[in-house]
Amino acid sequence: MSEPRIVPAEKRGKAPVDALIGSNGALSILVVVLGFGFGTLIVLAVGRNPSGMYLALVQTLTGYNATSHVWNPRYVGEWLTASMPLILTGMSMGFAARSGLFNIGAEGQYIIGLTAAQFVALYFPPIAGLHWSLALLAAALAAAFWGGFVGWLRARYAVSEVVATIMLNYIAFFLSRYLTRLIPDANTYRTPAFPETAIIPRSFLDPLTNHSRLSLAIFVVLLCVFLYWLILERTKLGFELRATGLNRNAALYAGIRVERSFTASMAIAGAFAGLAGGIVALGSFSYGRVLGGYDNYGFNGIAVALVGNSRAVGTLVSGLLFGMLASAQPLMQSRQIPKEITWIISGLVVVFVSLRAGFRMLVEWRAKRAAERGQSYAEARDD
Amino acid sequence: MINLFDMIPSILMMVAPILIAALGGLVSERSGVVNIALEGLMGVGAFTAATVHTLLESSTPMSIWIALGAAALAGLAISSIHALASVTFNADQVISGTGINLLATGGTVFLCQIIFHQERTEPYKLGMMPGPGGIYPTAWIALVALVLVWYLLYRRPWGFRLRACGEHPQAAASAGIDVRRTRWIAVLISGALAGLAGASIVVTETIQYTMYTINGAGFIALAAVSFGRWKPKGVAGASLLFGSAVALAIYMVNIKILRDFPPEFFSILPYIITIVTLVAFSGKDYAPAAAGQPYEKGGS
């Protein structure tokens, strides 16, 4: 009888499955693949052809329609347009998460930003260049206060930021409706049109993407991604925030003012989401909206941050991914795939992220089993 | 022109689903699991009830009751995802709750498109009939649920154990209580109640399910749990208050003294009250001590 060949664990190298589950980036990819996999199964289960779903996604990414063989770069422009607010709300969620806070309030912060931008657009003198930039600034500032308030409540009164942000989402929504309807000549769903100077210019992007709604705001978004990285990884404030997120008590003992960190972190998170609201208001619409419901960019931002691991580049990539899903909706519908499949995929991705702990348990279980096998072999040899 | 007294049936119609869902949230949070998926689970219940009732109403007079039962079962089934993630796998409870909320909106409208070829269910012909005094049976269901939850939590040993799991799971475990099992059951109960709550909205307040049917009722229920200080009596009072505010936002145009308020005033009220009371109660620990924390078995 041949003896079983046992290689000591440290010489064995990681099994592929352990390596996959052990790395955050790889885990994100796994989670997204699982989401798409289950989404495909659901489409199959209801008797539709999933190829329609993937052709719609290809058309969104490349502008190429594989059925009619027509290339139209407008789809690419629309994809990037849909991604911009998602990247920003993802960074809103992610920034708070890095300091240990759960910001479900990106939706409300987005609404406050949107409302502030609309007001500046309608009431500020129409000075070219300055008008829309100031409106975006107002959006970021107003939402920074809205978010910072939650951080302050958390720091000062130990109010759970989860409950507070959920409540403030609805407060923001109804407040926005109320304030916007006060504007003269506003009806139940819109205000008068914005002056031309309030709309974010499209400049050279307009001919480049065949008249899509993609505006120069894309550069503001990229700047924000850079700022996100810079603040978190290269400044004292960012270090303090991350330390607070990793271990609140240790941070406190190290002399970090944890309470101030909470307020600062939520204010910056709010600014990102507010900017998203401003960009949607002044980039995709030519008039102020009386909101009839949530735009849901804030809630989808949660998924964006979870998949992006709250890192700058990760959130950028995952925002582009979810933007692709959102932007492909009408194309899917026209290919007989119910467009809600994209929400199902987002939801599945978040559920799988929450099951991550389960993957980790699998790794531990494998390690334990390997150890036991090694041990029983050792025991057998002793006998 | 109507007066406040005449509004009681309408108010109770709005209060019932909020109370039923809030009781679900109460059971779950007292066992130590925060369930922000109430909103999504209500959507699942509302969709299920609307679908079952529309398809069955011409063939059986019991259709509404079958629909309510199916909705509770659907809520229970979907909440098992939350239990699996947050109880078995120790996942962050807010993340799996958020996932279910996203999944519920997408999933229900997706199924509407498949079954009814539109983004809503087919409207049914006849909803639930109000009983004596114009009061819908859902109000009585809510009352029964309230008494049952109180009895279960405060008059049965199992309820005592459940509350122990929410206060100090390690201590509960050392006293021989199976913390994971208890939390699993609590989450499933909250899912069934949330499903029933969603169904109650659909059969009384509207004629079909759309993605706007729930419209925050689940989050109001969540607020009612906090404002009610995690006690059945408090949760009942909070639901009554919040439900009345929601009803007033809708019916205020008919009431002379309220007509001059903006309708948003009443819509916003539950949320503002909740934040203000959370601030006012800060430092006094009404919340279950271990709510939101995964239970990790001590080192062995």
Side-chain angles (χ1 to χ4, degrees), chain A residues 142-203:
Chain A
F145 276 107
W146 196 259
F149 176 62
V150 175
W152 178 76
L153 283 181
R154 171 68 205 256
R156 176 79 181 75
Y157 296 106
V159 171
S160 150
E161 78 279 8
V162 173
V163 179
T165 48
I166 289 175
M167 302 302 134
L168 280 165
N169 284 342
Y170 281 93
I171 294 175
F173 172 69
F174 288 112
L175 190 67
S176 166
R177 273 182 65 83
Y178 173 66
L179 292 175
T180 313
R181 283 194 299 113
L182 288 180
I183 294 171
D185 296 325
N187 58 27
T188 50
Y189 72 95
R190 61 165 287 182
T191 70
F194 295 144
E196 199 60 34
T197 49
I199 292 167
I200 307 172
R202 289 175 193 164
S203 177

Side-chain angles (χ1 to χ4, degrees), chain B residues 24-280:
Chain B
L26 176 72
V27 171
S28 173
E29 296 209 5
R30 288 307 290 259
S31 81
V33 183
V34 173
N35 193 352
I36 69 160
L38 286 179
E39 176 86 4
L41 293 167
M42 283 179 82
V44 170
F47 162 77
T48 309
T51 306
V52 169
H53 184 46
T54 303
L55 297 177
L56 288 185
E57 72 176 334
S58 55
S59 35
T60 163
M62 293 299 286
S63 170
I64 283 200
W65 302 103
I66 298 173
L68 290 181
L73 280 179
L76 183 139
I78 300 298
S79 67
S80 66
I81 300 176
H82 189 47
L84 179 71
S86 64
V87 181
T88 306
F89 289 154
N90 291 338
D92 190 314
Q93 300 169 0
V94 179
I95 297 182
S96 62
T98 305
I100 291 178
N101 283 339
L102 287 172
L103 208 51
T105 325
T108 52
V109 182
F110 181 86
L111 286 174
C112 286
Q113 288 223 39
I114 297 299
I115 301 172
F116 301 103
H117 306 289
Q118 54 184 19
E119 292 179 3
R120 47 186 60 205
T121 61
E122 206 69 55
Y124 53 76
K125 291 181 192 67
L126 203 60
M128 184 179 263
M129 284 292 125
I135 292 168
Y136 282 102
T138 49
W140 303 112
I141 295 176
L143 190 65
V144 170
L146 172 66
V147 173
L148 274 180
V149 164
W150 168 80
Y151 179 74
L152 192 67
L153 284 183
Y154 287 92
R155 286 293 178 272
R156 299 297 307 162
W158 188 77
F160 176 75
R161 293 184 197 128
L162 181 142
R163 287 184 287 131
C165 293
E167 293 297 338
H168 202 311
Q170 282 77 11
S174 64
I177 298 169
D178 188 337
V179 175
R180 294 231 155 110
R181 198 181 122 97
T182 310
R183 287 184 167 186
W184 251 93
I185 296 172
V187 172
L188 292 183
I189 292 177
S190 83
L193 283 171
L196 187 62
S200 305
I201 289 186
V202 125
V203 297
T204 57
E205 296 174 28
T206 169
I207 51 163
Q208 61 190 171
Y209 171 79
T210 76
M211 62 176 290
Y212 301 109
T213 300
I214 305 303
N215 197 20
F219 289 127
I220 292 191
L222 199 68
V225 177
S226 312
F227 181 51
R229 302 187 190 183
W230 291 268
K231 297 230 162 49
K233 219 190 288 175
V235 168
S239 303
L240 201 61
L241 181 70
F242 292 173
S244 310
V246 175
L248 281 175
I250 295 172
Y251 297 106
M252 56 175 290
V253 281
N254 299 322
I255 303 165
K256 206 174 184 177
I257 47 165
L258 299 179
R259 202 180 279 167
D260 296 329
F261 282 95
E264 285 84 6
F265 177 79
F266 291 101
S267 308
I268 242 172
L269 214 53
Y271 307 111
I272 291 191
I273 291 177
T274 303
I275 289 193
V276 170
T277 48
L278 283 177
V279 170

